[in-house]
């Protein structure tokens, strides 16, 4: 039997911290190539390099059948019309699905089926759960005025494949139109 400390962890739904867990921080400079408006990105980065999001993760055990979870916190803000977002990824083990649970703030998730390219935008809010099927790229945006926090629960062997997104990016973007998030086709690079 595993020790109690690996069976129980405590997280803060507002700060996104998990007691005793390691946290990864992503600043604006880490998101180069993600935002459609590269001129707005470079102009913002010339002014400052703010923290865009952090992820704390708990990995109690490795192996088939085990589960891990992470708590993400995305700050409010935009680059051009696009909301602050995560890098986004596919799971290295493609069949791995994931559940996201909104904790605080207001977000959306962009899901893209790797085989068909079909894209969907779903709300991520407190008291809602988003199911990310296997073989699906996923990215999360904060579309509200306060920090967005959420939990993601995934198979221990899922892994993160960032390189596929870094090469091709998502087919769609999420922008603010009349104060609301709208999913659009990614504009061609000029
Ligand atoms: O495992 C997940 O899907 C999440 O915990 C993400 O890692 C988190 O949302 C941060 O996104 P990304 O890993 O794309 O930077
Ligand atoms: Mn994931």
């Amino acid at each position: 039997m595993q020790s109690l400390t690996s069976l129980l962890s405590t997280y803060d739904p507002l700060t996104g911290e998990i007691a005793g867990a390691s946290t990864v921080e992503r600043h604006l400079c880490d998101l180069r190539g993600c935002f459609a408006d590269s001129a707005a990105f470079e102009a913002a980065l010339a002014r400052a390099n703010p923290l865009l999001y952090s992820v704390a993760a708990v990995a109690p055990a490795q192996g088939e059948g085990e589960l891990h979870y992470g708590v993400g916190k995305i700050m409010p803000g935009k680059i051009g019309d696009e909301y602050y977002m995560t890098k986004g990824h596919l799971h290295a083990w493609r069949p791995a699905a994931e559940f996201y649970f909104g904790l605080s703030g207001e977000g959306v998730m962009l899901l893209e089926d790797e085989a068909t390219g079909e894209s969907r935008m779903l709300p991520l809010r407190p008291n809602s759960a988003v199911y990310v099927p296997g073989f699906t790229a996923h990215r999360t945006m904060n579309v509200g005025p306060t920090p967005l926090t959420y939990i993601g629960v995934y198979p221990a062997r899922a892994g993160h494949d960032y390189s596929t997104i870094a090469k091709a990016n998502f087919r769609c973007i999420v922008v603010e139109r009349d104060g609301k998030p709208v999913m659009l086709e990614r504009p061609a690079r000029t």
Side-chain angles (χ1 to χ4, degrees), residues 89-91 98 100 132 138 154 159-160:
H89 60 271
L90 284 144
H91 292 142
E98 180 165 4
Y100 273 69
V132 180
H138 43 292
Y154 46 94
H160 292 79

Side-chain angles (χ1 to χ4, degrees), residues 33-181:
C34 293
F35 294 95
D37 187 341
S38 51
F41 173 86
E42 295 301 340
L45 190 56
R47 289 193 295 272
N49 186 25
L51 176 69
L52 260 54
Y53 65 98
S54 60
V55 189
V58 168
Q62 301 298 328
E64 201 83 30
E66 301 289 354
L67 294 172
H68 292 176
Y69 83 91
V71 177
K73 179 185 186 186
I74 308 178
M75 305 311 289
K78 282 185 295 175
I79 297 295
D81 293 338
E82 263 183 300
Y83 301 95
Y84 280 4
M85 64 172 87
T86 61
K87 289 168 81 142
H89 60 271
L90 284 144
H91 292 142
W93 181 52
R94 291 291 197 270
E98 180 165 4
F99 255 119
Y100 273 69
F101 302 92
L103 295 177
S104 68
E106 197 188 339
V108 298
M109 291 192 73
L110 180 60
L111 308 186
E112 182 179 307
D113 182 295
E114 186 179 23
T116 65
E118 188 191 346
S119 300
R120 277 171 295 186
M121 184 180 75
L122 295 161
L124 181 65
R125 301 188 185 109
N127 307 319
S128 76
V130 174
Y131 184 64
V132 180
F135 304 92
T136 303
H138 43 292
R139 170 174 273 167
T140 310
M141 294 92 177
N142 182 346
V143 301
T146 59
L148 168 74
T149 61
Y150 56 91
I151 291 185
V153 184
Y154 46 94
R157 63 176 284 201
H160 292 79
D161 170 8
Y162 293 106
S163 61
T164 305
I165 298 302
K167 277 185 218 122
N169 214 334
F170 284 71
R171 293 189 184 199
C172 290
I173 61 174
V174 176
V175 294
E176 186 182 74
R177 291 285 182 271
D178 299 324
K180 292 199 185 81

